Amino acid sequence: MAKRKAENRSFLDKWEAEYLFTYVKDKPVCLVCGVNVAVSKEYNIRRHYETKHHDKYKDLDMTQRSQKVEEMKISLVSQQNMFKKATSQSEAAVKASYIVAAEIAKSARPFNEGQFMKKCMMKVCDLVCPEKKQAFSNVSLSRNTVADRTCDLATNLYDQLMEKGKDFVAFSLAVDESCDASDTAQLSVFIRGVDSNLRVTEELLGFKSMHGTTTGKEIFEEVSKCVTEIKLPWDKLVGLTTDGAPAMCGKKSGLVGMVREKMREENCAGELTVYHCIIHQEALCAKALKMEHVMTTVTQVVNFIRAKGLNHRQFKSFLEECGSEYADVPYHTEVRWLSRGKVLNRCFELREEICQFLETKGKDTAELREQKFLCELAFLCDISSHLDALNLQLQGRGRIITDMYAAVRAFKTKLCLWENQMLQGNPCHFPCCQSIKAQISTAVFPCAQFAEKLSVLAAEFSRRFADFDAQKCKFELLSNPFAVDVENAPTNIQMELTELQCNDTLKSKYDAVGAAQFPRFIPDTMPQLRTQAAQMLSMFGSTYLCEQLFSSMKMTKTTHRRRLTDEHLRSILRISSAQSLSPDIDELASKKRCQVSGLGTSD
């Protein structure tokens, strides 16, 4: 009985000629009408043939039937390929629209740029591959389509981040706030999470528009929503980095105080480590020099040259006539970290040309030619160059906090060296000072005064970076665990640290891959050390990512795009700031169907 049942369920080759059927994807398919028969039994196949097609094909002999079957099979394959090709072209058109939408978002261009790009594509297609015109025409790039695609891409990135968040063993937040072109306060929250394999994910967690006040309570509520929506437990939060504003770092009513209170309510065992952005701190340290009078004079000179179009044109022509290496002087912008150093360097290099030009305009240049002013300008120029070099070291994505702290410690050591050299009358690391000192009497150059300023600057660095100095032991556990004194290490990791330091294989691996990559090679038998490494790797040293995002925001939401909605702005910035993640366009395209957009219409 079982044998007869199995035979009845198997498709036999002779049925092709007898009943005009073939076997496609485990189902019998009629070659005449394309109908599938659910069960592969001869009775079912014969009944379909006799009731539907017997009268039409009853006069054919077996040779004619076999020939007819082959023709029908070729026709069936052709139809299947045609449908596959149409489906493939449709999916390709949808994928292309997603790719273009992503590029439009990354370049901060308006959504209607898609229509312009399609016009260009069609004109290129007419010349290069006219036979592909229909395929290009199928790519939908209308304004509404690009806007929808942008939201889809951002949602996909957020879903990926939420999925990755399930594996985080530690995470930290960087929070900052700024206003856009329509004076709406925008709060950016970045997350840096580390999973069990010590892989780091650094992405935008939330971008919240705050249309009312921006008190510490309101900022905390938005940050809390970001953490809750992504379903991250508060006990895995180990670090919080802010810009140092009162609403952010207030111990009671500020973001920091409220986050700590929230963690206490959640019975979190770990202590929250809070940092004021290293880059902000470094910029604030420079104010301890108290040389604003020099900067004010330089700014007044630059404004006189640049503020009026005629003066500016004449100055550039004057530099060209003089054969100067430089063609202009830049504006000074307080909010740009490297602006001051660039302005000072250019003004120092062009000091003689600037004086000559001002004299042609009837301006008094006595102050600019004073030896004291030139010495102070040279010193401020040199120290600003050194500070700018440090600033650049601290910038960038994916920076490990231990490396940033090492750069600050190195700068503090350099300040002590420069102070001693300046006291000895040897400004060898200050080229502008050397240049001025060679032009004037050595006795006039105020070495002692500048040494005192370097001392004040070093003291300010020590004061402002005291919170980082307090974490020195933890930093060393990540940067160089083999040099840490076990007795000074936390008791919960002392046993594992001793085993690590006595393991020659791990020491060789550390020497080979370096401090940044080594934590991944710490064995699972040392869970406390891996947890400690994960917490340190997750730390934000600065709010650089927030500042970078606000720069993108300024380019995206301009005075010409003030009506850009909060959702669209958030979606654009999530796409443009993504680094660890990339949108899954194949998944998104599989959920969409192709819709052709016209060229002559706008929506």
Side-chain angles (χ1 to χ4, degrees):
M1 185 71 180
K3 183 178 180 181
R4 187 174 63 185
K5 185 176 181 180
E7 288 175 352
N8 289 341
R9 296 295 187 271
S10 300
F11 185 85
L12 303 181
D13 293 339
K14 66 179 183 178
W15 294 349
E16 287 188 349
E18 290 181 6
Y19 307 124
L20 304 182
F21 263 77
T22 189
Y23 205 58
V24 179
K25 294 183 178 179
D26 300 328
K27 286 186 178 181
V29 178
C30 178
L31 290 169
V32 180
C33 62
V35 171
N36 297 331
V37 175
V39 181
S40 183
K41 291 177 62 176
E42 183 176 10
Y43 171 77
N44 294 342
I45 295 172
R46 184 176 65 245
R47 186 179 65 175
H48 174 85
Y49 171 73
E50 289 177 350
T51 56
K52 301 288 185 181
H53 312 300
H54 176 265
D55 293 341
K56 184 175 180 181
Y57 297 101
K58 64 182 179 179
D59 296 331
L60 298 179
D61 58 28
M62 289 306 295
T63 303
Q64 292 173 325
R65 280 176 172 274
S66 298
Q67 184 178 356
K68 190 68 176 178
V69 165
E70 292 303 318
E71 292 175 359
M72 289 179 172
K73 287 171 72 174
I74 292 172
S75 176
L76 177 63
V77 171
S78 177
Q79 291 177 11
Q80 290 174 335
N81 289 339
M82 181 182 67
F83 286 126
K84 287 180 181 177
K85 183 178 180 182
T87 303
S88 176
Q89 288 180 346
S90 175
E91 288 182 359
V94 174
K95 288 181 183 179
S97 69
Y98 274 113
I99 292 171
V100 173
E103 293 303 317
I104 289 175
K106 290 176 184 177
S107 61
R109 296 183 178 276
F111 296 140
N112 56 16
E113 284 287 301
Q115 294 170 294
F116 170 73
M117 292 180 67
K118 185 166 183 177
K119 289 179 181 178
C120 295
M121 286 164 49
M122 297 305 296
K123 290 184 181 296
V124 170
C125 182
D126 287 340
L127 295 174
V128 177
C129 49
E131 71 280 2
K132 299 286 187 181
K133 186 171 183 179
Q134 185 58 46
F136 280 85
S137 178
N138 288 342
V139 181
S140 181
L141 294 175
S142 67
R143 182 188 182 282
N144 286 352
T145 299
V146 172
D148 292 342
R149 297 286 193 261
T150 301
C151 293
D152 291 342
L153 291 165
T155 301
N156 182 263
L157 286 171
Y158 183 79
D159 291 342
Q160 289 184 51
L161 180 61
M162 182 180 291
E163 190 64 28
K164 274 187 171 289
K166 296 177 181 178
D167 298 327
F168 288 166
V169 296
F171 72 93
S172 295
L173 302 176
V175 184
D176 201 355
E177 177 262 329
S178 184
C179 289
D180 61 22
S182 61
D183 291 329
T184 301
Q186 302 288 358
L187 183 73
S188 67
V189 183
F190 273 86
I191 186 172
R192 185 180 173 94
V194 181
D195 62 20
S196 56
N197 294 318
L198 299 183
R199 288 190 296 259
V200 179
T201 300
E202 193 176 73
E203 291 292 337
L204 177 65
L205 176 60
F207 189 80
K208 302 292 186 177
S209 300
M210 304 179 70
H211 297 277
T213 57
T214 55
T215 63
K217 181 181 178 181
E218 288 162 328
I219 292 174
F220 166 73
E221 288 174 353
E222 296 296 341
V223 173
S224 181
K225 284 180 185 177
C226 291
V227 176
T228 304
E229 287 170 0
I230 204 171
K231 299 178 181 178
L232 287 171
W234 286 93
D235 60 349
K236 292 183 180 179
L237 176 62
V238 297
L240 177 62
T241 303
T242 69
D243 63 350
M248 294 286 186
C249 60
K251 294 182 179 180
K252 290 186 178 180
S253 59
L255 172 65
V256 170
M258 292 188 172
V259 169
R260 282 181 168 153
E261 179 62 28
K262 176 68 174 178
M263 293 180 71
R264 282 193 291 270
E265 292 175 1
E266 297 288 332
N267 297 318
C268 300
E271 179 65 25
L272 180 69
T273 303
V274 177
Y275 293 117
H276 180 180
C277 171
I278 289 182
I279 302 178
H280 284 191
Q281 296 272 53
E282 183 263 356
L284 292 172
C285 284
K287 297 184 180 296
L289 293 171
K290 297 189 183 300
M291 299 186 73
E292 290 81 3
H293 61 287
V294 178
M295 197 67 225
T296 299
T297 301
V298 170
T299 302
Q300 289 174 349
V301 170
V302 171
N303 288 346
F304 175 78
I305 294 172
R306 295 289 304 257
K308 293 185 178 180
L310 177 61
N311 287 350
H312 191 199
R313 292 193 299 272
Q314 290 176 339
F315 181 70
K316 290 196 289 186
S317 299
F318 178 73
L319 291 179
E320 187 176 351
E321 292 171 5
C322 295
S324 173
E325 179 183 354
Y326 304 103
D328 203 356
V329 289
Y331 263 128
H332 169 51
T333 307
E334 187 69 30
V335 294
R336 293 187 177 177
W337 290 323
L338 306 181
S339 172
R340 185 173 71 164
K342 291 179 180 179
V343 172
L344 288 168
N345 272 287
R346 186 63 57 83
C347 288
F348 182 80
E349 295 295 335
L350 294 174
R351 59 189 182 279
E352 187 58 37
E353 289 86 345
I354 288 174
C355 287
Q356 292 176 12
F357 178 76
L358 292 178
E359 287 168 355
T360 64
K361 292 293 184 177
K363 294 290 183 179
D364 182 16
T365 60
E367 181 183 3
L368 298 178
R369 294 186 181 277
E370 284 181 0
Q371 291 184 344
K372 179 183 177 182
F373 175 82
L374 290 174
C375 291
E376 290 179 334
L377 175 62
F379 175 77
L380 186 58
C381 183
D382 284 330
I383 195 63
S384 295
S385 295
H386 289 307
L387 287 167
D388 288 349
L390 173 61
N391 193 293
L392 286 172
Q393 276 186 278
L394 300 175
Q395 291 185 36
R397 295 195 67 145
R399 299 303 308 273
I400 300 175
I401 193 169
T402 53
D403 292 341
M404 301 176 75
Y405 175 66
V408 172
R409 283 196 300 121
F411 190 80
K412 288 162 64 177
T413 304
K414 291 176 185 178
L415 285 172
C416 295
L417 173 66
W418 296 335
E419 180 187 353
N420 292 332
Q421 290 175 337
M422 193 66 75
L423 285 171
Q424 297 168 9
N426 178 27
C428 56
H429 297 289
F430 291 69
C432 294
C433 288
Q434 285 181 306
S435 174
I436 290 296
K437 189 178 178 183
Q439 297 176 16
I440 64 176
S441 171
T442 304
V444 175
F445 191 81
C447 289
Q449 176 187 341
F450 294 154
E452 177 63 23
K453 288 192 176 295
L454 290 171
S455 176
V456 170
L457 185 59
E460 185 68 6
F461 263 82
S462 297
R463 184 182 72 84
R464 286 194 171 274
F465 289 99
D467 52 345
F468 287 89
D469 292 335
Q471 301 290 325
K472 183 179 179 181
C473 181
K474 290 184 178 180
F475 291 161
E476 288 178 347
L477 284 170
L478 179 65
S479 61
N480 192 1
F482 294 92
V484 175
D485 186 351
V486 176
E487 292 185 3
N488 295 331
T491 55
N492 64 316
I493 65 172
Q494 286 180 346
M495 297 299 98
E496 294 180 8
L497 185 60
T498 302
E499 294 175 13
L500 177 75
Q501 293 180 349
C502 294
N503 192 312
D504 293 335
T505 303
L506 291 176
K507 181 65 169 67
S508 300
K509 179 62 71 173
Y510 174 83
D511 294 336
V513 301
Q517 299 297 326
F518 176 71
R520 297 181 184 178
F521 297 95
I522 299 175
D524 294 335
T525 55
M526 301 178 182
Q528 296 296 331
L529 280 178
R530 288 181 66 87
T531 300
Q532 183 71 31
Q535 291 176 352
M536 285 294 102
L537 286 172
S538 73
M539 292 287 188
F540 277 107
S542 73
T543 57
Y544 171 83
L545 292 179
C546 299
E547 299 287 354
Q548 188 182 49
L549 189 75
F550 291 142
S551 295
S552 299
M553 178 189 72
K554 299 289 186 184
M555 295 173 61
T556 302
K557 191 171 182 178
T558 64
T559 53
H560 301 292
R561 297 184 74 189
R562 288 183 177 179
R563 295 177 64 187
L564 190 68
T565 65
D566 294 338
E567 180 188 4
H568 286 156
L569 178 61
R570 180 166 53 251
S571 297
I572 291 169
L573 294 179
R574 186 176 295 280
I575 294 169
S576 62
S577 65
Q579 185 180 34
S580 305
L581 306 175
S582 57
D584 189 344
I585 292 178
D586 290 337
E587 179 187 348
L588 291 170
S590 66
K591 300 176 182 178
K592 296 286 183 179
R593 64 184 181 86
C594 179
Q595 295 179 335
V596 182
S597 62
L599 291 177
T601 61
S602 61
D603 50 4

